Amino acid sequence: MNFLDQNIVITGGTRGIGAGIAKSFLEKNAHVIATYAGNDERAQGFKASLGELGERLTLRKFDVSNKDAVGAFWNSVNEEFGQVHVLINNAGIRKDNILASLDEDSWDKVIDTNLKGTFLMSQGAVLNMMSKRYGRIINMSSIGGVLGLPGQSNYAASKAGQIAMAKTLSKEVGKRGITVNCVLPGFIETELIADLPEEQVKEYRAQVPLKRFGKVEEVAHAVMFLASKEAAYITGSTLEVTGGLNG
């Protein structure tokens, strides 16, 4: 797979899975526009860590759940880069608690970032891609959106919503040469699970048939396949990268 001369937008693209995906696309000759919400030092550190690859990485800071900020982003991207070939909706947060104790703010923030952000970014991408009659939109959902892990009602709802949105959108834009799919990672070695209690980590690992957590690179490979020209006949689908932890 070669992404030479392709522009790839990755939300939440400077840390965790997003950073791994960004690096993989850069290694395949793409230009990557990685968005992030707040940590300037971390974003700049990621760019610096890439060496020469970082020359093809553009950083943009804004909140994907803010309609005006998303609109400004797409206006600038359309003017500066023209065609966007791939959008990866990866920005996501967790605020776990059992539903009985979950506060409204924690519900709203997770839904806004994970689901509303996917809606707003996808809307901008579709408007960019339709006239070119080509595009790939990939939602980074989660196996949690299918399994429903305890304490994650807000997170699971947002991730299930991404799947439903992709299925619907794929039917709306297919005739324009745009595919829309979801990747469902399982337990991947990132900071997103680093804050879990050790006993819970052991329990989760024991549930995985391959008896290990996945690597960021393994998720990135799946994403790049769905983003490739070779995946032109795959749309409205979900690809689980879970080590056998099936939904």
Side-chain angles (χ1 to χ4, degrees):
M1 290 176 284
N2 193 322
F3 293 89
L4 181 66
D5 297 327
Q6 289 201 26
N7 295 314
I8 318 294
V9 172
I10 306 172
T11 65
T14 63
R15 62 183 179 88
I17 290 176
I21 294 171
K23 183 178 179 182
S24 294
F25 273 108
L26 291 167
E27 290 172 343
K28 295 298 183 180
N29 305 306
H31 180 268
V32 173
I33 302 105
T35 84
Y36 66 103
N39 194 327
D40 295 313
E41 182 178 356
R42 178 150 194 170
Q44 293 297 335
F46 170 60
K47 183 178 176 72
S49 72
L50 295 168
E52 291 184 1
L53 290 178
E55 296 175 6
R56 285 185 279 106
L57 174 69
T58 298
L59 299 175
R60 293 291 172 84
K61 177 183 177 181
F62 66 97
D63 179 358
V64 295
S65 70
N66 184 299
K67 181 179 179 179
D68 291 338
V70 172
F73 167 78
W74 279 111
N75 287 337
S76 67
V77 165
N78 293 338
E79 182 176 340
E80 185 175 350
F81 301 102
Q83 183 174 9
V84 168
H85 301 81
V86 180
L87 166 67
I88 299 163
N89 287 306
N90 174 73
I93 60 173
R94 272 186 28 236
K95 289 183 176 294
D96 295 354
N97 207 336
I98 60 172
L99 189 138
S101 301
L102 187 67
D103 61 87
E104 185 178 2
D105 185 62
S106 294
W107 174 273
D108 288 344
K109 285 184 176 178
V110 169
I111 296 297
D112 282 352
T113 298
N114 299 4
L115 188 55
K116 182 181 177 182
T118 295
F119 155 65
L120 292 173
M121 288 298 296
S122 297
Q123 193 172 56
V126 166
L127 293 173
N128 175 284
M129 296 170 175
M130 283 197 303
S131 62
K132 285 83 173 180
R133 305 191 73 84
Y134 180 87
R136 303 280 185 266
I137 297 175
I138 300 167
N139 295 341
M140 298 305 298
S141 181
S142 169
I143 195 64
V146 179
L147 290 178
L149 299 174
Q152 292 190 341
S153 58
N154 51 357
Y155 184 77
S158 71
K159 293 303 178 178
Q162 284 184 309
I163 296 170
M165 188 187 303
K167 289 181 179 295
T168 299
L169 183 57
S170 69
K171 294 174 173 64
E172 296 174 354
V173 299
K175 62 185 177 183
R176 297 296 187 117
I178 303 170
T179 66
V180 189
N181 294 289
C182 289
V183 172
L184 278 60
F187 298 115
I188 308 300
E189 293 176 349
T190 70
E191 68 267 24
L192 199 61
I193 63 170
D195 61 344
L196 295 176
E198 184 176 349
E199 286 303 313
Q200 192 171 9
V201 169
K202 289 180 180 179
E203 179 184 342
Y204 284 159
R205 187 180 290 116
Q207 295 175 24
V208 180
L210 290 186
K211 301 305 176 187
R212 67 175 178 87
F213 289 163
K215 301 181 184 302
V216 169
E217 295 80 6
E218 293 171 315
V219 178
H221 294 156
V223 172
M224 287 201 300
F225 168 65
L226 290 176
S228 70
K229 293 180 179 179
E230 289 79 3
Y233 203 59
I234 302 174
T235 193
S237 71
T238 59
L239 176 56
E240 297 181 3
V241 186
T242 65
L245 185 67
N246 299 318

